[in-house]
């Protein structure tokens, strides 16, 4: 494949829709991740569960009328999950309605054994997740909520009352709140129809607006300007942003664990397991 083209690639499944350009994929994706081993060989207490809330949305309508073919980023989703699975954490997967999670399959690292393992172990759940409302049932107990990254997390999750209820419960029970890259868009749901977002005053990592507004368009990763700027909305909610660039930074503020991009996936997974082991020793 010619990796020099900066023209977004046509997605034939939808009118005027596009995948990232070959050039941008040559810069942003790789056949393997930087996985370098798990945090430890210890296991968390049995029945420790983390709820993964993914997106069932595929297309982001850009300001120029073009569609970006997106979803959840596989590395940002599966590498943190792999770390949790290896520590004995049980994963339950949900989307807003129970429709399958959409993945940015063009970013799947085909030669990465950790990513492949997590995918195979949870594939059935990704294809048949439970509706998020079911995760709110009283008998379901979680140690944390993980909202994976990918631009698709900006679609519908920020307007979800069910996600707001899940976040309220997580905060009340001091669960871990975990996300990275564009996933923190889901945390905006906590402030729906409220004067103040409960996470106001927290500090988190998020993908830099500056890259989405300029470089990602110039290299053809995005087919146009996004409908809204994530970092700008996070700041408007009273939440502080720890990073200015995409460097693989992770950050912990109380029970909130975040990373800035796919580059943070491995370290975020380790940070999550460290916290779960401290909170739920076997």
């Amino acid at each position: 494949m010619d990796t020099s083209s900066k023209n977004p690639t046509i997605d034939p499944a939808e009118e005027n829709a596009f995948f990232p350009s070959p050039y941008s994929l040559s810069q942003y994706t790789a056949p393997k991740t930087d996985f370098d081993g798990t945090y430890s060989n210890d296991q968390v207490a049995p029945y420790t569960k983390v709820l993964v809330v993914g997106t069932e949305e595929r297309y982001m309508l850009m300001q120029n009328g073009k569609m970006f073919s997106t979803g959840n980023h596989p590395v940002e989703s599966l590498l943190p999950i792999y770390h949790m699975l290896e520590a004995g954490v049980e994963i339950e997967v949900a989307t807003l309605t129970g429709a399958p999670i959409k993945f940015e399959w063009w970013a799947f690292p085909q030669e990465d054994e950790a990513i492949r393992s997590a995918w195979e172990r949870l594939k059935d759940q990704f294809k048949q997740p439970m509706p998020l409302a079911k995760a709110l049932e009283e008998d379901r107990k979680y140690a944390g909520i993980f909202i994976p990254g990918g631009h698709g997390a900006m679609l519908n999750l920020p307007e979800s009352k069910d996600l707001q209820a899940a976040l309220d419960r997580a905060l009340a029970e001091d669960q871990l709140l975990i996300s990275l890259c564009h996933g923190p868009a889901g945390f905006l749901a906590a402030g729906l129809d409220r004067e103040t977002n409960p996470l106001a005053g927290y500090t988190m990592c998020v993908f830099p607006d500056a890259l989405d507004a300029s470089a990602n368009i110039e290299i053809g990763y995005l087919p146009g300007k996004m409908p809204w700027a994530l970092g700008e909305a996070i700041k408007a909610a009273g939440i502080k942003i720890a990073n200015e660039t995409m460097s693989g930074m992770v950050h912990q503020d109380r029970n909130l664990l975040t990373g800035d991009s796919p580059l943070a996936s491995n370290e975020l997974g380790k940070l999550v397991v460290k916290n779960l082991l401290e909170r739920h020793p076997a």
Side-chain angles (χ1 to χ4, degrees):
M1 181 179 68
D2 179 9
T3 60
S4 63
S5 175
K6 295 183 180 180
N7 295 320
T9 301
I10 292 174
D11 173 2
E14 178 63 55
E15 193 271 335
N16 206 25
F18 298 87
F19 300 118
S21 71
Y23 176 79
S24 68
L25 291 183
S26 74
Q27 302 301 300
Y28 278 172
T29 65
K32 289 187 177 182
T33 70
D34 63 344
F35 175 71
D36 58 356
T38 55
Y39 172 74
S40 77
N41 293 322
D42 296 329
Q43 298 282 297
V44 299
Y47 312 116
T48 300
K49 294 182 182 179
V50 168
L51 176 66
V52 176
V53 181
T55 181
E56 60 203 69
E57 297 295 326
R58 170 68 72 199
Y59 295 107
M60 175 181 281
L61 180 62
M62 314 306 270
Q63 291 187 25
N64 60 5
K66 295 180 179 180
M67 295 278 203
F68 175 42
S69 185
T70 180
N72 280 133
H73 193 285
V75 174
E76 295 169 11
S77 306
L78 295 169
L79 193 47
I81 285 173
Y82 180 78
H83 280 279
M84 289 184 253
L85 289 172
E86 289 297 291
V89 178
E90 184 177 344
I91 300 295
E92 291 191 348
V93 179
T95 58
L96 297 188
T97 69
I101 288 184
K102 302 300 189 297
F103 280 98
E104 297 172 327
W105 205 253
W106 36 263
F108 194 96
Q110 297 292 339
E111 298 176 18
D112 195 286
E113 293 182 7
I115 297 292
R116 179 68 63 183
S117 172
W119 167 255
E120 292 297 337
R121 289 151 80 175
L122 292 177
K123 179 168 58 176
D124 290 344
Q125 282 203 68
F126 292 138
K127 292 182 180 295
Q128 292 184 301
M130 64 179 165
L132 183 54
K134 186 173 181 179
L136 299 174
E137 294 173 354
E138 201 169 307
D139 62 337
R140 292 184 179 273
K141 301 296 182 183
Y142 299 103
I145 295 179
F146 174 38
I147 304 176
H151 287 77
M154 296 174 62
L155 307 172
N156 288 6
L157 292 186
E159 295 86 34
S160 169
K161 281 289 189 179
D162 284 339
L163 182 53
Q164 182 182 59
L167 292 171
D168 284 348
R169 178 175 169 181
L171 286 166
E173 297 177 357
D174 194 33
Q175 298 176 24
L176 296 180
L177 300 177
I178 309 155
S179 192
L180 72 169
C181 204
H182 294 84
F187 294 141
L188 296 173
L192 283 172
D193 301 324
R194 292 171 173 166
E195 290 187 6
T196 304
N197 189 306
L199 292 173
Y202 280 72
T203 300
M204 67 174 65
C205 288
V206 67
F207 191 84
D209 282 348
L211 286 177
D212 274 335
S214 57
N216 279 355
I217 298 174
E218 293 165 7
I219 66 175
Y221 187 86
L222 299 175
K225 191 174 181 180
M226 298 196 312
W228 54 281
L230 176 56
E232 187 178 298
I234 292 288
K235 290 178 182 177
I239 302 167
K240 302 172 185 177
I241 297 178
N243 62 297
E244 295 182 357
T245 61
M246 181 183 74
S247 66
M249 179 179 179
V250 297
H251 183 76
Q252 177 167 358
D253 184 348
R254 288 158 277 185
N255 61 332
L256 178 63
L257 314 179
T258 52
D260 67 11
S261 68
L263 301 177
S265 302
N266 190 50
E267 291 305 316
L268 181 63
K270 292 179 181 180
L271 182 62
V272 171
V273 170
K274 176 179 181 292
N275 276 266
L276 289 173
L277 287 169
E278 291 172 353
R279 289 164 169 253
H280 306 277

